[in-house]
Amino acid sequence: MRLPAPESGATNSDPDMTLSTAWLDELRARTTLSAVIAPSVKLIRAGREWKACCPFHNEKTPSFTVNDDKHFYHCFGCGAHGDAIRFLTDHRGMPFMDAVKELAARAGMDVPAADPRAREQAERTATLTDVMAEVAKWYSEQLNGLAGGEAREYLKRRGIDDTTAQRFAIGFAPDNRSALKRALDRLGEDRLIDTGMLIKPEEGGDSYDRFRGRLMIPIRDARGRVIAFGGRILGPGEPKYLNSPDTPLFDKGRTLYNIDRASPACRAAKRLIVVEGYMDVIALDRAGISEVVAPNGTAVTEAQLERMWRLDPSPILCFDGDSAGRKAAIRAATRALPLLRPDRTLRFVGLPAGQDPDDVVRTGGREAFEALLASPEPLDARLWRHELEAEPLTTPEAWAGLKARLIAHASAIGHADLARMYREDWLNRFYDKRRPVSAPRAFAPRGSFKNGRFVPPPQPVDAEARAIASSGIDAPTARALILGFANFPEELPAHCEQLASLPITDKPTAQMRDQLVNAAFSGAALDRDGIATILGGDGTTGEKARRAMGFSFTRRDSDPDRARSDLAAAVEIIAAAEEVEKALEHATERLKRDLTDEALEEQQRLIEAQRGLRQRLAQLAGTD
């Protein structure tokens, strides 16, 4: 069997660092692969190689081989293959450059820097991580000393034993403005300020300890280095949790708590669980569930979602069973929509009202929590349920609002096929709910058919409806669609209902649209010559065709597969944009009447959805 050549499995993503192929080959040559793998995998000597049970999938008979001479590992069971760098990135979840730096440090090699500033930054970072290690050690000593009695009692009440406290390196910050500053003055005041451990007043004066009278929970990077802290107050007071500020080491929006321990654990468990807080992570780990991360007490960010998906294609979000937890889950769901792809999504687990993961495992043990995890709710179902429960569906306006919100969510999805499928699925559910007796259609055409011909709907009479409809689709875009269906008429049956629903204000173009819809519903032959005859050449040649927007489907000589795909995407985007525009009008009116955070958030989300649809349409036009 011929095996593929070793590869790192990642690219150099550091703009200030250039790694040549020769340098990486030298790094691999100086690295004993079995020594990198052995700390986390039990290796057994087999001749000139090593064998083990694969760390990337569960197996009882060893099929994982490590070859130090050829510098690669390979699993004959699941196909996992790579070198030392790839093992660190795939098994431990480390970023590429972090993996390279760790291996280079072992091999005694200097990682090349493109300029002195990059080298200076690397040296500064290394120095600051040493400072943070000393700080973590000092906090741990305070927890176990005379000053830590109250903190130890708190841990005892939370069910956190000494072993767990040591595993997570939990410490204690005395309630004193200068205890840490005095104890670690040898590290340098500037460095303690740079790491966020001391606060330097802007108006002048002496610096002082940031954390006082708090239980201290170290936050580590993927390499296990302390980069920040979360401090939990022991008694009453606000804020209950205080995090380190952003520093050269710590970017709160890009970091996940417990990433270093969860990375290998999630690969063994084949799942990743996301909870709200530090104590939830610790409680689940204590119950034997280690594949858990938390977003450092903030709303989940796009960067954090990307890090989650590197570890698992469908993380399970398990937030608290209160109003704040439900809002956080929905916020994460909507933030994920533009980033969704067929190979990555989110799942959700709802906790009993008023409970968090710590409550569940303390009362029912691991079994109770595993029972909840057994049936996670898919992303599409979670958003559907949220919008369905948003308000009582007792008026036509409420039903219209539900439909608009669902379409706005689907419009936010960046992947065209997924956006279409979400939209169709949600609208099918909507019509099932709205008209449970009839067999609904995902896209009901506006207007009607008389004597076999399509008759457009009458113009709206309501002032607000007239304002919305008055804009319609701009003439160049509308002509581009007509030209697209004239060039690729085989797409008409799949999209004629959406085409019939579009508000085309340019009368000649609208008439051509009506003729195309008639042709689609009449069963006439749908080929280029037949459509050209129906349209009389108008719209497919001449000045109007030249004034249409330039898409791949407006040219007959375009690649057919690409043109048909772009045409389908354009119809979806334009149809969605119409619905979002209506929803935005209603949201703006609502905001005028009811100035609340929820109303403002809804308006801003729709504005962002509208902007995203315009960008996607412009990108399609730019592909021609």
Side-chain angles (χ1 to χ4, degrees), residues 135-157 160-175 213-218 229 232 234 279 282:
V135 171
K137 179 182 177 182
W138 186 80
Y139 281 145
S140 180
E141 291 171 351
Q142 304 316 298
L143 175 65
N144 297 304
L146 292 175
E150 183 182 359
R152 293 194 297 271
E153 284 298 317
Y154 174 83
L155 292 176
K156 185 177 180 180
R157 291 195 302 271
I160 299 175
D161 57 24
D162 292 343
T163 301
T164 302
Q166 291 173 9
R167 184 159 64 249
F168 286 91
I170 297 175
F172 173 66
D175 192 7
R214 291 179 179 269
L215 195 73
M216 300 302 294
I217 302 169
F229 288 90
R232 210 281 186 198
L234 297 176
M279 288 300 180
I282 295 170

Side-chain angles (χ1 to χ4, degrees), residues 474-486:
D474 63 277
T477 302
R479 284 193 290 268
L481 288 183
I482 299 304
L483 185 56
F485 283 112

Side-chain angles (χ1 to χ4, degrees), residues 318-353:
C318 187
F319 291 168
D320 296 353
D322 55 13
S323 175
R326 290 189 292 272
K327 287 182 179 179
I330 294 303
R331 207 172 287 122
T334 55
R335 188 157 284 175
L337 290 176
L339 308 174
L340 293 184
R341 297 197 308 241
D343 60 342
R344 62 190 197 182
T345 185
L346 295 177
R347 296 177 290 169
F348 298 84
V349 164
L351 296 183

Side-chain angles (χ1 to χ4, degrees), residues 67-81:
N67 191 312
D68 284 329
D69 295 333
K70 297 179 180 179
H71 310 293
F72 70 73
Y73 62 83
H74 184 81
C75 177
F76 292 90
C78 69
H81 182 89

Side-chain angles (χ1 to χ4, degrees), residues 13-15 93-96 98 219-223 227-228 243-260 263 278 293-311 335 339:
S13 59
D14 189 336
M94 295 175 61
F96 174 79
D98 284 352
I219 301 170
R220 293 184 169 86
D221 63 9
R223 297 172 64 180
I227 56 174
N243 286 328
S244 289
D246 284 353
T247 70
L249 297 179
F250 180 53
D251 184 338
K252 183 161 50 179
R254 304 184 66 85
T255 305
L256 290 169
Y257 175 67
N258 200 44
I259 185 71
D260 57 318
S263 294
Y278 310 120
V293 295
N296 298 308
T298 63
V300 174
T301 67
E302 289 84 353
Q304 289 170 336
L305 286 168
E306 294 287 355
R307 296 210 74 174
M308 294 175 198
W309 282 321
R310 287 181 60 187
L311 299 177
R335 188 157 284 175
L339 308 174

Side-chain angles (χ1 to χ4, degrees), residues 1-148:
M1 177 179 179
R2 184 177 179 182
L3 300 178
E7 58 183 0
S8 67
T11 59
N12 174 18
S13 59
D14 189 336
D16 294 323
M17 196 99 44
T18 301
L19 303 179
S20 67
T21 301
W23 190 91
L24 288 172
D25 288 343
E26 178 66 17
L27 177 62
R28 295 185 186 101
R30 292 196 192 185
T31 299
T32 303
L33 180 58
S34 59
V36 176
I37 296 176
S40 52
V41 180
K42 184 178 180 181
L43 298 178
I44 303 171
R45 172 67 77 175
R48 300 184 64 179
E49 298 180 336
W50 300 86
K51 288 188 175 181
C53 289
C54 180
F56 297 102
H57 79 288
N58 294 323
E59 62 175 1
K60 296 181 179 179
T61 303
S63 61
F64 183 78
T65 300
V66 178
N67 191 312
D68 284 329
D69 295 333
K70 297 179 180 179
H71 310 293
F72 70 73
Y73 62 83
H74 184 81
C75 177
F76 292 90
C78 69
H81 182 89
D83 56 16
I85 301 173
R86 185 156 194 163
F87 185 82
L88 294 181
T89 58
D90 284 8
H91 186 259
R92 289 177 51 184
M94 295 175 61
F96 174 79
M97 284 308 305
D98 284 352
V100 168
K101 290 173 183 176
E102 179 166 314
L103 294 175
R106 294 186 184 190
M109 295 176 62
D110 293 327
V111 179
D115 56 52
R117 289 177 300 175
R119 182 178 291 109
E120 180 182 348
Q121 178 62 31
E123 293 173 352
R124 181 186 180 200
T125 298
T127 300
L128 295 182
T129 56
D130 292 339
V131 170
M132 293 299 277
E134 288 292 319
V135 171
K137 179 182 177 182
W138 186 80
Y139 281 145
S140 180
E141 291 171 351
Q142 304 316 298
L143 175 65
N144 297 304
L146 292 175

